[in-house]
Amino acid sequence: MGANLSAVAYLIAGICFVMALRGLSSPTTARAGNLHGIAGMVIAGATTLAAPGVLSYGLILAGLVIGGAIGTVIAIKIEMRAMPQLVAAFHSLVGMAAVLVAAAALYQPDAYGIGTVGTIKGLSLVEMSLGAVIGTVTFSGSVVAFAKLQGMVGGAPVVFPGQHWLNLAIGVAIVAIGVRFVGSESHGLFWLMTALAFLVGVLIIVPIGGADMPVVISMLNSYSGWAAAGIGFTLENSALIITGALVGSSGAILSYIMCKGMNRSFVSVILGGFGAAEGVVAAGGPARPVKSGSAEDAAFLLKNAASVIIVPGYGMAVAQAQHALREMGDKLTKAGVKVRYAIHPVAGRMPGHMNVLLAEANVPYDQVLELEAINSDFRATDVAFVIGANDVTNPIAKTDPTSPIYGMPVLDVEYAKTILFLKRSLASGYAGIGNELFYRNNTMMLFADAKKMCEDIVKYL
Amino acid sequence: MTATALIQLYVFVLAGFVGFQAITRVPPLLHTPLMAATNAISGISLVGSLVLAGADKGIAATVLGTVAAACAMANVVGGFLITDRMLKMFRRSTPAD
């Protein structure tokens, strides 16, 4: 295939990817959009294989079959609950592939037509460094994020004195080595730079706490795009550049939305250390009385309500309570109760996490509403049913400027006539602050495992 | 800066804007499938690894290229399949409700 024809094919692939993203603007067109994405990938892959530089196909085929088989098995086996760690794992693969390609371009520049060993163009070396460094940070950062999400290491932030200075020093060192590398094309410096980037990836993720994971995942998504774009510049391949830019900006926008959902700056999330003591009971003051109820009490209240808004949080995902919850919602709907779900932007461990879990349990998406769309309805709601969420309902975010979550948009469950809080204990949420709502007169605490309690409520409906 | 590099920069910046426009229209409802889909398409680095693995430029390049191709392919296939699996689950209320 000629170079011009290839270039046109890559452009078409790029357009397919844009169409794929456009399709995702509505659930009705999303699956068709995904097919565009697949078409784009097939076009790009076939074009590359048909290029004159590709001579032997045996190993390629083996690699593709093995990779494809692994991908298929994972995609079929994975549970929806594990989606955040799966996405993190996939990000690490993108990072890894970018580093491998950058390294290969350094050792075999003639394969890509960017010169010969020792005489690679300076600009190519710059692009190569960017691809390798960003790819490595994506790789090691994603591995750490995966380990945290999978519970292989503790989710609590790891902070130590001088952390930010250390990161800064390593960052400066990477830039300095990068400049020397571009001047000398030294393989040793390339690997030194990559090793330091690996360290940076680990160091920037370890101080970030579990509840900030949505930002981290989006950020790594963004990095994986920039890494692909860096490789695209090295290989002078427009399909790679277009895709890298698309993915990079996608991740950046998601990070921004997540930060806004928490009213925290991107910098403060990245600097980390938020909510060091997760899951402790708010200290200080005498124990205050709370009203707690049984499944039967809850069922009675729900049955006699005209409208119910359910607020799910990460606790629902942990307890895998979405199916039992949907059953409860169905029973109530049949009994004539208006049931809706309110989703906070940062509920769960990744953007849209709750929506996918509810969709898995067969909750129709037109019953699931975002914060802006539903927040004013709590005043006219009989029962707010909060399941496994806490900080995102805490009114202190609106009243106390000294609170760590001050300014964060919260769901106004406090205005509902009755609030049912389904939680295992009175423990505070990730921000380590108590929730005033637990002690209100119109609140009833349901202390139980979320799934068990939903199943019990269903029995009494 | 060479002409090619300059054109590449144009492509990069314009594609970034197109991405921005497309992504801001994606509702929060579909943010998880969006991440899975962008994950799949960033497996486009497959293109780079295929060139490398097939160029017959020595054992190191071939092995590196093949490993990279396998990584990227796992991403592509896994990403698209999981996106479709998720999207299949999203449904509206039936009119009977």
Side-chain angles (χ1 to χ4, degrees):
Chain A
M1 199 182 274
N4 285 339
L5 197 57
S6 298
V8 172
Y10 283 138
L11 177 64
I12 294 172
I15 292 171
C16 285
F17 294 146
V18 175
M19 302 278 285
L21 297 181
R22 282 272 292 141
L24 280 167
S25 59
S26 155
T28 49
T29 55
R31 286 188 76 193
N34 197 37
L35 289 179
H36 280 108
I38 295 171
M41 195 57 76
V42 171
I43 293 172
T47 307
T48 310
L49 288 177
V54 179
L55 304 172
S56 61
Y57 291 94
L59 265 178
I60 292 183
L61 224 71
L64 292 185
V65 169
I66 293 170
I70 294 173
T72 309
V73 170
I74 292 173
I76 292 172
K77 286 267 163 90
I78 196 80
E79 286 176 55
M80 288 301 142
R81 150 182 69 158
M83 202 50 69
Q85 41 274 53
L86 175 72
V87 167
F90 275 156
H91 286 153
S92 73
L93 288 182
V94 177
M96 166 98 100
V99 182
L100 291 177
V101 173
L106 179 65
Y107 282 88
Q108 301 288 338
D110 43 339
Y112 297 109
I114 53 168
T116 53
V117 178
T119 64
I120 302 176
K121 285 181 294 182
L123 190 60
S124 297
L125 290 174
V126 174
E127 296 156 354
M128 213 180 275
S129 319
L130 285 175
V133 169
I134 303 173
T136 311
V137 171
T138 311
F139 172 72
S140 58
S142 300
V143 170
V144 175
F146 172 82
K148 282 194 170 203
L149 288 163
Q150 184 74 24
M152 290 155 75
V153 299
V158 178
V159 275
F160 53 88
Q163 195 165 20
H164 304 322
W165 292 110
L166 178 66
N167 288 349
L168 185 67
I170 299 177
V172 170
I174 289 177
V175 174
I177 294 169
V179 171
R180 293 274 312 269
F181 164 71
V182 170
S184 67
E185 206 193 313
S186 149
H187 292 182
L189 288 178
F190 176 84
W191 290 115
L192 184 59
M193 189 168 69
T194 311
L196 287 177
F198 185 90
L199 205 57
V200 167
V202 175
L203 287 172
I204 59 173
I205 306 300
V206 290
I208 300 179
D212 284 344
M213 272 301 160
V215 180
V216 172
I217 296 270
S218 316
M219 182 186 82
L220 291 168
N221 185 229
S222 182
Y223 287 178
S224 72
W226 306 132
I231 297 303
F233 279 110
T234 313
L235 308 185
E236 298 183 354
N237 183 311
S238 49
L240 266 166
I241 296 175
I242 294 174
T243 314
L246 291 177
V247 176
S249 52
S250 167
I253 293 169
L254 289 177
S255 314
Y256 171 76
I257 295 173
M258 293 303 115
C259 286
K260 217 175 65 172
M262 294 192 290
N263 190 40
R264 301 185 59 206
S265 74
F266 186 68
V267 174
S268 81
V269 174
I270 295 310
L271 293 182
F274 192 55
E278 215 167 320
V280 287
V281 178
R288 297 163 65 188
V290 296
K291 248 195 317 195
S292 74
S294 66
E296 199 175 350
D297 303 332
F300 178 78
L301 283 166
L302 289 166
K303 205 158 46 177
N304 290 299
S307 60
V308 172
I309 296 179
I310 298 170
V311 179
Y314 184 57
M316 181 194 77
V318 173
Q320 284 292 290
Q322 64 270 28
H323 298 279
L325 183 67
R326 194 259 311 152
E327 211 179 315
M328 187 187 98
D330 281 357
K331 281 226 164 171
L332 290 171
T333 310
K334 279 216 184 79
V337 181
K338 185 180 184 192
V339 178
R340 287 174 299 170
Y341 296 78
I343 310 287
H344 191 273
V346 293
R349 288 290 183 264
M350 73 183 295
H353 194 184
M354 292 297 125
N355 301 88
V356 166
L357 290 173
L358 291 176
E360 184 198 13
N362 250 328
V363 173
Y365 62 78
D366 43 353
Q367 283 182 9
V368 183
L369 298 160
E370 294 151 38
L371 184 137
E372 293 90 19
I374 201 164
N375 228 6
S376 54
D377 292 5
F378 279 105
R379 287 175 192 278
T381 296
D382 293 322
V383 177
F385 187 85
V386 184
I387 171 167
N390 183 0
D391 290 332
V392 297
T393 65
N394 199 336
I396 205 171
K398 293 183 286 190
T399 54
D400 181 4
T402 61
S403 161
I405 61 168
Y406 181 69
M408 176 171 102
V410 288
L411 289 159
D412 290 330
V413 297
E414 59 168 329
Y415 299 128
K417 286 203 189 73
T418 306
I419 311 165
L420 294 176
F421 255 103
L422 175 41
K423 261 178 123 287
R424 273 172 308 191
S425 68
L426 280 177
S428 58
Y430 69 88
I433 43 171
N435 193 339
E436 186 60 35
L437 287 181
F438 298 165
Y439 311 102
R440 295 242 174 127
N441 279 330
N442 61 338
T443 300
M444 184 192 278
M445 302 298 296
L446 306 169
F447 294 117
D449 172 73
K451 187 176 171 189
K452 178 88 179 35
M453 178 56 84
C454 288
E455 286 165 354
D456 289 348
I457 292 175
V458 169
K459 280 184 211 148
Y460 289 107
L461 282 174
Chain B
M1 201 180 258
T2 62
T4 326
L6 204 58
I7 290 170
Q8 285 175 347
L9 195 63
Y10 271 60
V11 170
F12 177 69
V13 173
L14 291 176
F17 272 104
V18 172
F20 181 81
Q21 294 296 333
I23 305 295
T24 44
R25 299 170 64 131
V26 178
L29 175 71
L30 295 177
H31 276 167
T32 297
L34 170 69
M35 294 200 95
T38 52
N39 225 312
I41 65 174
S42 49
I44 185 77
S45 53
L46 182 61
V47 165
S49 19
L50 288 180
V51 172
L52 185 73
D56 275 347
K57 298 282 181 190
I59 184 77
T62 311
V63 170
L64 276 182
T66 308
V67 173
C71 283
M73 192 66 179
N75 231 303
V76 170
V77 175
F80 281 129
L81 279 179
I82 199 80
T83 307
D84 191 60
R85 213 183 115 195
M86 275 192 271
L87 291 174
K88 257 194 288 198
M89 301 185 316
F90 284 91
R91 62 171 191 91
R92 293 188 69 87
S93 319
T94 44
D97 284 354

